[in-house]
């Protein structure tokens, strides 16, 4: 009884996580934090006093966080960067979450997520975030790194404040059988026991083992890699097509790739299998071809949409600007959404100015760096405020 009920409940009540808030400081020029150097990657380290964790271990140098168990993890990194001198078109800042030493061979490895943004205001902070949901295996080492534009001028630093620069990861589901291990779908509804009710094998399994199986193998899907080149637009938002779609729900209607709207093309959307709450995360980086006016950014949007064609409204939206011709600029979306079975969840891009073209970046989908990523993970039943 302890092994099959009490121990799993304790485990699911506190699955592995870590939170590192505030990187190491090795300079006070121009502010306190970790120094950056033009044209170089800097791998951040984290003082043990700034780290809270359960299950995860850290390397002696404070750079790596070591995954304790196979499972699906959500990760988030943000770096707040300060510079004393900016270029007229902005200074590129690249942030990455990277996984090394994939011990068992079938989890995600490499640069799991990357975002580029332009720092455009001298003597001010700019925060660049990146977030991703991936399957990781025991022994994988996670780290965060920042790259400073090779043409940067002045002095640059990653701020060491706890609210400025941080790296997080938490397990969404154990999934010890691998990313593709089939989900049983939503857990059976929990029911109260009656004093006179007969306890049989079926009922006991529904209320214990079946519940834990659903927690262990949550329905999930990931889209990776896009390739587009579109004219700048005034108001039309186009759904991106995912080069690869990976899921652990293979039954008809369970996380199938589909069209965002009739005629929009295959793999532009994912069909939601059940009513419930979902963790949704998106990374997208895009670049434009027009010569910008100095210190002016071309506006663009990346959004998550549900059903509907061109008239659909976004469920989640992130907006930004790109001041560099031929350079990427990225956005991150990470949120929890109540969704309905049959919703065609899709990611759309929009960039302004008909004088330019926007594309998905120089490295996608052929690069191992994940400049575009779309992950949807089922968390459980209910809708906001329903208590269900």
């Amino acid at each position: 009884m302890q092994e099959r009920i009490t121990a799993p409940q304790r485990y699911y009540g506190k699955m592995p996580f870590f939170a590192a808030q505030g990187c190491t400081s090795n300079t006070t020029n121009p502010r306190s934090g970790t120094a950056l150097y033009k044209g170089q990657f800097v791998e951040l380290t984290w003082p043990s006093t700034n780290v809270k964790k359960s299950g995860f271990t850290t390397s002696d140098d404070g750079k790596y966080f070591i995954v304790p168990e196979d499972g699906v993890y959500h990760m988030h990194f943000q770096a707040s960067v300060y510079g004393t001198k900016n270029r007229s078109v902005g200074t590129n800042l690249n942030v990455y979450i990277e996984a090394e030493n994939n011990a068992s061979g079938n989890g995600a490895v490499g640069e799991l997520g990357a975002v580029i943004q332009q720092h455009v205001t001298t003597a001010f902070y700019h925060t660049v975030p990146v977030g991703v949901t991936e399957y990781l295996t025991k022994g994988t080492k996670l780290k965060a790194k920042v790259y400073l534009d090779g043409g940067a001028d002045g002095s640059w630093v990653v701020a060491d404040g706890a609210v400025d620069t941080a790296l997080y990861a938490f397990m969404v589901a154990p999934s010890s059988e691998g990313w593709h291990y089939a989900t049983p779908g939503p857990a059976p509804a929990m029911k109260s026991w009656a004093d006179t009710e007969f306890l049989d094998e079926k009922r006991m399994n529904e209320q214990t083992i079946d519940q834990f199986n659903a927690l262990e193998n949550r329905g999930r899907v990931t889209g990776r890699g896009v390739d587009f080149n579109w004219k700048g637009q005034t108001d039309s938002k186009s759904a991106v097509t995912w080069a690869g779609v990976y899921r652990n729900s293979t039954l008809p209607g369970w996380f199938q790739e589909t069209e965002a709207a009739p005629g929009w093309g295959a793999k532009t959307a994912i069909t939601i299998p059940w009513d419930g709450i979902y963790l949704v995360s998106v990374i997208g980086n895009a670049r434009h071809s027009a010569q910008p006016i100095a210190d002016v950014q071309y506006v663009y949007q990346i959004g998550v949409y549900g059903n509907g064609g061109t008239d659909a409204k976004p469920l989640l939206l992130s907006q930004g600007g790109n001041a560099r011709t031929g350079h990427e600029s990225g956005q991150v979306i990470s949120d929890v959404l109540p969704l309905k079975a049959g919703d065609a969840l899709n990611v759309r891009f929009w960039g302004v100015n008909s004088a330019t073209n926007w594309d998905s970046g120089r490295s996608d989908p052929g690069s191992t760096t994940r400049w575009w990523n779309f992950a949807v993970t089922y968390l459980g039943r209910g809708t906001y405020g329903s208590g269900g």
Side-chain angles (χ1 to χ4, degrees):
M1 185 68 76
Q2 293 282 353
E3 179 181 329
R4 296 191 180 188
I5 297 180
T6 305
Q9 286 178 336
R10 286 177 176 170
Y11 177 84
Y12 290 116
K14 191 177 183 181
M15 293 192 292
F17 74 91
F18 74 82
Q21 298 172 289
C23 62
T24 299
S25 178
N26 60 16
T27 186
T28 57
N29 178 32
R31 292 286 191 272
S32 178
T34 298
L36 292 176
Y37 306 95
K38 66 179 182 180
Q40 296 184 30
F41 289 94
V42 170
E43 298 170 341
L44 297 184
T45 60
W46 311 86
S48 60
T49 53
N50 294 357
V51 175
K52 298 179 177 64
K53 63 184 188 298
S54 176
F56 278 86
T57 55
T58 55
S59 59
D60 292 340
D61 60 5
K63 179 169 66 175
Y64 293 104
F65 295 87
I66 302 168
V67 175
E69 299 180 42
D70 296 0
V72 179
Y73 291 81
H74 183 73
M75 295 150 276
H76 178 86
F77 169 51
Q78 65 180 48
S80 185
V81 179
Y82 185 96
T84 60
K85 189 175 181 181
N86 246 313
R87 307 169 74 182
S88 62
V89 291
T91 301
N92 280 353
L93 300 171
N94 304 21
V95 300
Y96 302 82
I97 297 173
E98 187 169 358
E100 294 183 5
N101 188 31
N102 177 18
S104 54
N106 61 349
V109 67
E111 292 170 344
L112 307 184
V115 166
I116 304 175
Q117 290 185 0
Q118 283 85 43
H119 192 302
V120 296
T121 306
T122 297
F124 204 77
Y125 292 96
H126 183 104
T127 300
V128 189
V130 60
V132 65
T133 305
E134 284 287 1
Y135 176 74
L136 303 174
T137 47
K138 182 178 181 179
T140 300
K141 299 190 296 184
L142 299 175
K143 68 179 180 182
K145 63 183 184 181
V146 180
Y147 177 85
L148 177 62
D149 194 327
D153 295 319
S155 298
W156 293 80
V157 64
V158 179
D160 59 6
V163 298
D164 297 310
T165 302
L167 175 63
Y168 308 90
F170 64 89
M171 179 186 278
V172 180
S175 194
S176 59
E177 300 296 330
W179 172 264
H180 295 288
Y181 192 80
T183 177
M190 296 293 288
K191 301 175 183 177
S192 299
W193 293 98
D195 288 341
T196 58
E197 185 174 2
F198 176 71
L199 178 61
D200 60 16
E201 179 182 346
K202 179 177 181 298
R203 182 71 188 280
M204 178 62 81
N205 284 337
E206 283 181 350
Q207 303 302 291
T208 56
I209 303 302
D210 291 352
Q211 299 290 329
F212 298 142
N213 282 338
L215 290 172
E216 175 116 359
N217 297 291
R218 297 179 185 272
R220 53 191 178 271
V221 63
T222 293
R224 295 180 188 145
V226 303
D227 186 11
F228 65 78
N229 189 320
W230 295 325
K231 199 75 174 173
Q233 301 158 336
T234 55
D235 56 9
S236 178
K237 283 80 172 174
S238 300
V240 301
T241 300
W242 298 97
V245 177
Y246 311 91
R247 59 189 185 276
N248 73 332
S249 304
T250 57
L251 295 178
W254 288 22
F255 278 135
Q256 299 296 307
E257 59 260 33
T258 186
E259 292 186 295
W264 287 40
K267 294 187 178 181
T268 53
I270 300 297
T271 302
I272 296 302
W274 317 292
D275 293 1
I277 305 298
Y278 290 79
L279 173 64
V280 179
S281 61
V282 177
I283 300 172
N285 291 268
R287 62 181 180 175
H288 64 78
S289 61
Q291 181 63 39
I293 302 170
D295 301 321
V296 174
Q297 298 195 72
Y298 286 9
V299 177
Y300 69 98
Q301 298 178 352
I302 295 174
V304 176
Y305 289 72
N307 299 319
T310 56
D311 294 332
K313 301 298 182 183
L315 304 175
L316 301 170
L317 184 67
S318 188
Q319 305 177 83
N322 189 333
R324 298 285 296 274
T325 297
H327 289 253
E328 291 88 354
S329 182
Q331 296 294 314
V332 171
I333 294 173
S334 182
D335 212 332
V336 175
L337 280 178
L339 298 171
K340 294 289 187 181
D343 285 349
L345 208 64
N346 60 95
V347 176
R348 302 187 191 183
F349 176 85
W350 167 75
V352 301
N353 199 322
S354 59
T356 188
N357 274 41
W358 290 86
D359 67 32
S360 52
R362 58 194 156 192
S363 302
D364 221 298
S367 173
T368 55
T369 301
R370 293 176 187 168
W371 302 99
W372 283 84
N373 197 83
F374 179 33
V376 183
T377 306
Y378 175 75
L379 297 182
R381 299 174 182 274
T383 57
Y384 289 135
S386 71

